[in-house]
Amino acid sequence: MVDDLAVRRARAEAVAGSGDHAGAVELFAEIVEDSCRLLGPDHPDTLLARHRHADCLDDAGGTAEAAGLHAAVAADRARVLGPDHPDALLSRHLHAYCTGESGDHELAARLHAAVAADRDRVLGAGHLDALLSHAEHAYFLGLTDRAAEAARVGAAVVAGRGRVLGAEHPETLTSRHNHASHVGDAGDAEEAVRLYALVVEARARVLGPDHPETLMSRHNQAFYVSATGDSEGAVVLYDGVVRDRSRVLGPDHPHTLLSRHNRADSLDDAGRTREAADLHAAVAADRARVLGPDHPDTLLSRHLHAHCVGASGDPGRAAGLYGALAADRARIAGPGHPETLAGRHAHALYVGRSEAPDEAVRLFVPVVEDRVRVLGPDHPDTLLSRHEHAFHVGEAGDEDGAALLFAFVVQDRMRVLGADHPHTLVSRSEHARWVGLTGRTLTARDLHAGVVEDRTRVLGVDHPDTFVSRHLHATSAGDAGEVEEAVRLLAALVVDRAWVLGADHPETRASRHAHERFAERLDLR
């Protein structure tokens, strides 16, 4: 019977090697049961069969269950073989990996850090298994929004693998690829672009220009070029990646669709919003066909298509697209899911921009209530919906209601985000504007003056938002009877806007027109 177990193990391995992971899971489960009965639960062959059962379960998609099995095997191997035995460390490594792949990135990062430390101690810091654990630690740190720490750990992995395997070994190149991503996510997009250029060059030379990993590095290079603000440069890079991924992987491969998606994003960032809308629509249709209409990536493309349609100047159509998307998200994930709430918020927003502020107010009220309930009253998205609700209350004709609502939004954004946060400053500006529209011009003047001072300090004197606040401050001073002060402030603003934006820019013309209007009033006095 023991010999029979060996034959059955070989057969199970062959089934696993053929790609039939579900079949291998069944075979290994039977082997584990019989091995426990014939050899005992602590026999090394039984532990190996349990280990392989967990491996195949992970390959078959049962990653969460596999994490639990690997944890149990790790504990038993540590008890039977000793905690420092390589097999015990391997089971701990795979437990950490499956934990992360199941979605608990925080725990996975901690588990990998512990395994890495023990492998350093037992095997040596330069051992490939130790470096692998450090690499996984860095990877999951990146998924927990600790990019700077991930970059630090990843840099050590790059150095270690480069020393042991060579700078252009495929595993070293993988570490260099991941390190570049973490550097970019930590805020240094320009350095990420530089690192990716080197990785792209090396992967093209070692793996070939059409290798999927080379194409992946080119894709990421384009992503971080966009993050530096060079949207047009990113579009050019994405053009090449889309062309080559379509040729190598096929036009319907998820990676090809992702590159087309990102190209549309960069077109939008470059101001080519109509082109972006058309491309997002095409990607949404293809993702629906390939991945299914309810796939998260399909829904994301529909969301961005609607956004670009609205940004292109068609708020009515955007409202319809967002309404349909919100309904589908509610059907798939429930009406209170954060993504559903985001779609409902956008639907209400574009309904308001379609000159239907009363309907927008009606839609925003339940969005605010549900975001308070689901996300909490202090969540930035809740505060954003409250801001937009207040704005549309005013647009619907209730200036006093808008001023009151904005006063509360300002208070909460200052407490949660800080007085200098751009969102807080926007709410303060809107509060001042609606206060002025209620006829309290002196109060509005003082509120606008405070926003001008803080925006100048935080954003700079030539920032577009600072210009807006300077214009509103000047006109509110004039409306409060301080016509000479308004003329003085507007004269300076016209000069600055002409210098920064150009003499014929619409906002420069608006300030010039306001200056002329108040100057005429001054002459008539």
Side-chain angles (χ1 to χ4, degrees), residues 161-245:
R161 281 181 164 170
R163 187 169 54 252
V164 176
L165 300 173
E168 296 192 349
H169 187 279
E171 290 184 16
T172 307
L173 291 174
T174 297
S175 295
R176 291 170 60 188
H177 172 99
N178 292 339
H179 176 239
S181 177
H182 293 139
V183 167
D185 291 346
D188 195 346
E190 292 186 357
E191 176 64 6
V193 170
R194 187 189 71 82
L195 291 171
Y196 267 120
L198 297 173
V199 176
V200 166
E201 180 183 358
R203 276 185 156 171
R205 183 171 58 254
V206 174
L207 304 176
D210 290 343
H211 193 282
E213 292 182 5
T214 305
L215 296 172
M216 183 182 296
S217 292
R218 288 173 58 196
H219 173 96
N220 282 20
Q221 180 187 18
F223 176 85
Y224 288 106
V225 165
S226 178
T228 67
D230 183 5
S231 302
E232 289 288 359
V235 170
V236 172
L237 290 173
Y238 278 127
D239 283 341
V241 178
V242 168
R243 180 186 63 248
D244 291 341
R245 276 185 157 172

Side-chain angles (χ1 to χ4, degrees), residues 311-329:
S312 298
D314 192 348
R317 185 170 169 233
L321 292 169
Y322 271 123
L325 176 61
D328 286 341
R329 284 198 184 274

Side-chain angles (χ1 to χ4, degrees), residues 149-381:
E149 190 176 353
R152 178 184 60 77
V153 175
V157 176
V158 168
R161 281 181 164 170
R163 187 169 54 252
V164 176
L165 300 173
E168 296 192 349
H169 187 279
E171 290 184 16
T172 307
L173 291 174
T174 297
S175 295
R176 291 170 60 188
H177 172 99
N178 292 339
H179 176 239
S181 177
H182 293 139
V183 167
D185 291 346
D188 195 346
E190 292 186 357
E191 176 64 6
V193 170
R194 187 189 71 82
L195 291 171
Y196 267 120
L198 297 173
V199 176
V200 166
E201 180 183 358
R203 276 185 156 171
R205 183 171 58 254
V206 174
L207 304 176
D210 290 343
H211 193 282
E213 292 182 5
T214 305
L215 296 172
M216 183 182 296
S217 292
R218 288 173 58 196
H219 173 96
N220 282 20
Q221 180 187 18
F223 176 85
Y224 288 106
V225 165
S226 178
T228 67
D230 183 5
S231 302
E232 289 288 359
V235 170
V236 172
L237 290 173
Y238 278 127
D239 283 341
V241 178
V242 168
R243 180 186 63 248
D244 291 341
R245 276 185 157 172
S246 296
R247 176 176 53 80
V248 175
L249 304 175
D252 291 341
H253 192 282
H255 290 179
T256 306
L257 294 171
L258 176 60
S259 292
R260 291 173 61 200
H261 172 99
N262 282 18
R263 180 177 182 272
D265 274 348
S266 293
L267 284 170
D268 183 23
D269 292 339
R272 298 159 63 180
T273 311
R274 292 185 185 278
E275 292 179 69
D278 291 342
L279 182 51
H280 275 306
V283 175
D286 288 341
R287 279 179 159 172
R289 176 175 52 81
V290 175
L291 304 175
D294 294 346
H295 191 280
D297 290 349
T298 305
L299 298 173
L300 176 60
S301 288
R302 288 176 59 192
H303 177 95
L304 292 172
H305 172 226
H307 163 77
C308 289
V309 166
S312 298
D314 192 348
R317 185 170 169 233
L321 292 169
Y322 271 123
L325 176 61
D328 286 341
R329 284 198 184 274
R331 173 179 56 79
I332 296 164
H337 190 279
E339 295 293 347
T340 306
L341 292 171
R344 290 169 57 195
H345 172 99
H347 176 224
L349 180 68
Y350 280 103
V351 165
R353 291 180 180 177
S354 305
E355 299 183 358
D358 290 296
E359 176 64 7
V361 170
R362 187 189 70 78
L363 292 169
F364 268 119
V365 168
V367 173
V368 169
E369 292 173 350
D370 288 345
R371 277 186 155 170
V372 167
R373 176 176 53 80
V374 174
L375 304 176
D378 291 342
H379 191 281
D381 289 348

Side-chain angles (χ1 to χ4, degrees), residues 389-434:
H389 173 236
F391 174 82
H392 287 93
V393 165
E395 290 294 302
D398 185 358
E399 291 89 355
D400 286 304
L404 180 61
L405 289 170
F406 268 119
F408 290 128
V409 174
V410 167
Q411 180 181 358
D412 290 340
R413 276 187 157 171
M414 288 182 70
R415 176 176 54 80
V416 175
L417 304 176
D420 291 343
H421 192 280
H423 292 179
T424 306
L425 293 170
V426 169
S427 292
R428 288 173 58 194
S429 179
E430 284 297 311
H431 177 227
R433 188 169 73 86
W434 288 107

